[in-house]
Amino acid sequence: MQIYPIDTGFFKLDGGAMFGVVPKVIWQKTNLADNNNLIDMALRCLLIKDGDRIILIDNGTGNKQNDKFFSYYFPYGDASLDDSLAKYGFHRDEITDVFLTHLHFDHCGGSIQWNDDKTDYESAFKNAKFWTNKNHWKWATEPNPREKASFLKENLLPIKESGQLNFLPIPDNGFLKNSELGFDILFTDGHTEKQMIPHIKYQGKTLVFMADFLPSVGHIPLPYIMSYDVRPLITMDEKSKFLNEAADKGYYLFLEHDPEHEICTVKHTVKGVRLDKTYKFNEVFK
């Protein structure tokens, strides 16, 4: 197995929304806001080559939305999905599996693109299976008013229409061991229904792709929960259990949205679980 971090650029979100009830005077110590109260967010994905399978975990926002849409999120940076794949010698047509932690636009928008004459949408990964789960698919395609703006039908329905949509099973205990894709999956319900968090055994370590379960190192303390989460009290319980386990077992946490830190570890302190160390990917995995 080989794993590569895939950068697809940066965007901005409202800092208050990203930290919920936590006052700005506190959260801005770790996530500095600009004059519009916006904070920087990465769009960092992960590529796994395991035998004949080449698996992409999440794929950023894509570029098919109009200027008005992107004016809300201020995308910036020179990185792109195709350039980041090419850096490691890969092309999107080689991707065999696209694993989507959940179906909010900044995690799955790159799944679908315009066709050549911009008359219709098509799969951006023509040879891949797309993976989600039935509960989350129903949640996303029949969205509640709170999340409707994040579940865009043009990101979702073409996946089903392409015939590439696949569902992973949800175990009763919420933790899928040895999934078809070769890694374990934790299902969480605080941020959105049945978000999937991969646990990947690699080079003798456990690498956990955090998606929106832990957007940045600034979100490690338990009350630091996004306003975007539909069930914040459940998030708090899920976070408490996971972070204690991560500290106990020495997990390496891969941060999809942290603009500065690719990976972090956590430790037990008298104040609860807190940040231990941060790393670049190649400092942990050679």
Side-chain angles (χ1 to χ4, degrees), residues 98-220:
V98 177
F99 177 92
L100 300 170
T101 60
H102 61 299
L103 298 171
H104 288 163
F105 74 89
D106 53 317
H107 296 260
C108 74
S111 302
I112 301 299
Q113 63 188 8
W114 285 110
N115 61 12
D116 289 339
D117 57 8
K118 289 195 172 183
T119 59
D120 202 357
Y121 298 113
E122 64 182 15
S123 172
F125 302 92
K126 62 183 182 181
N127 297 312
K129 294 180 178 180
F130 288 85
W131 296 94
T132 181
N133 62 79
K134 286 184 178 179
N135 288 37
H136 186 63
W137 180 260
K138 179 176 172 59
W139 186 267
T141 55
E142 300 173 17
N144 61 76
R146 184 181 178 90
E147 288 182 277
K148 188 175 183 179
S150 291
F151 290 132
L152 307 180
K153 61 183 179 181
E154 60 267 33
N155 286 338
L156 308 181
L157 301 185
I159 298 177
K160 184 176 183 181
E161 293 164 1
S162 73
Q164 296 171 266
L165 179 63
N166 292 266
F167 295 126
L168 287 160
I170 305 171
D172 291 339
N173 67 356
F175 192 81
L176 179 62
K177 296 282 291 182
N178 301 315
S179 74
E180 180 175 335
L181 296 171
F183 48 76
D184 301 337
I185 301 168
L186 172 66
F187 292 81
T188 65
D189 294 313
H191 178 59
T192 189
E193 174 76 10
K194 295 295 178 287
Q195 178 180 213
M196 299 190 293
I197 306 299
H199 288 50
I200 306 156
K201 300 292 196 306
Y202 184 51
Q203 294 184 3
K205 303 176 178 70
T206 297
L207 178 67
V208 184
F209 187 94
M210 296 307 299
D212 280 344
F213 196 21
L214 189 73
S216 74
V217 297
H219 288 84
I220 291 173

Side-chain angles (χ1 to χ4, degrees), residues 207-258:
L207 178 67
V208 184
F209 187 94
M210 296 307 299
D212 280 344
F213 196 21
L214 189 73
S216 74
V217 297
H219 288 84
I220 291 173
L222 283 185
Y224 291 47
I225 292 171
M226 295 184 289
S227 293
Y228 299 111
D229 287 18
V230 294
R231 305 179 182 110
L233 295 181
I234 290 178
T235 295
M236 195 176 297
D237 288 342
E238 291 172 338
K239 230 171 97 173
S240 176
K241 180 180 178 181
F242 172 81
L243 289 176
N244 276 284
E245 180 177 305
D248 289 342
K249 297 185 178 180
Y251 292 164
Y252 289 82
L253 311 184
F254 185 87
L255 302 168
E256 185 164 11
H257 286 316
D258 193 303

Side-chain angles (χ1 to χ4, degrees), residues 80-87 90-92:
S80 71
L81 175 62
D82 287 323
D83 287 347
S84 294
L85 290 173
K87 175 182 176 181
F90 296 98
H91 187 275
R92 64 172 65 218

